[in-house]
Amino acid sequence: MNSDLSEVRRKTVSVNQYIDRINQPFRQKFLTRKRTYRLKQETANELKKFANGYVIVAFSAEWCKDCAANIPVLALVSEATGLEVRIFRNLKKDPLSHTRKWRIPPSPPEVETFHVDKIPHITILDKKGNEIGKIIENPQEKPTLEEELLKIILEKK
């Protein structure tokens, strides 16, 4: 999949803007995770080498517990490495539809173009907008989110 990064940037917010705009009491869960999580510094240092070549795009909802666990880690990764992290927000399930999982709006229509089923849906794009990998809900291969991000980037380098 190839994405228009300027369009993605226009329709998203930075990860820290996203966290700042979350309503209470959900914001507190995100902020607590951000304050208490400790990035693996060696991994962050490696990711910093690739920060200018990639953009992370994530789909999130404030009510989602996996988002509350992983989006703050993306904020820490962004702060520590300079890696750009953009968030599509306000995802809402559509319980009345038998054909659609997400209600559009308020969910962005990109939930369909990115084939979002579960969240957080974290997609790693190169600077040309090409998808090089994704992480759905939680890291599957490595114990931490930052380690899995680095693994995906190193495999596609």
Side-chain angles (χ1 to χ4, degrees), residues 13-73:
V13 295
S14 74
V15 65
N16 282 316
Q17 287 173 324
Y18 171 71
I19 292 171
D20 289 344
R21 294 178 184 175
I22 294 172
N23 294 318
Q24 290 294 6
F26 300 110
R27 183 185 317 137
Q28 197 54 50
K29 291 180 182 180
F30 281 72
L31 290 173
T32 298
R33 174 71 167 168
K34 187 177 175 191
R35 188 178 64 252
T36 59
Y37 186 86
R38 297 291 167 249
L39 277 180
K40 291 198 170 199
Q41 198 56 52
E42 183 178 318
T43 304
N45 290 342
E46 284 297 307
L47 278 169
K48 191 182 287 190
K49 297 174 185 175
F50 304 104
N52 291 331
Y54 299 92
V55 176
I56 295 175
V57 177
F59 290 81
S60 182
E62 59 190 25
W63 49 263
C64 170
K65 69 177 178 60
D66 289 330
C67 294
N70 290 302
I71 298 299
V73 176

Side-chain angles (χ1 to χ4, degrees), residues 98-110:
H98 298 298
T99 58
R100 251 190 200 166
K101 179 164 188 162
W102 305 104
R103 185 178 302 150
I104 302 171
S107 300
E110 287 79 8

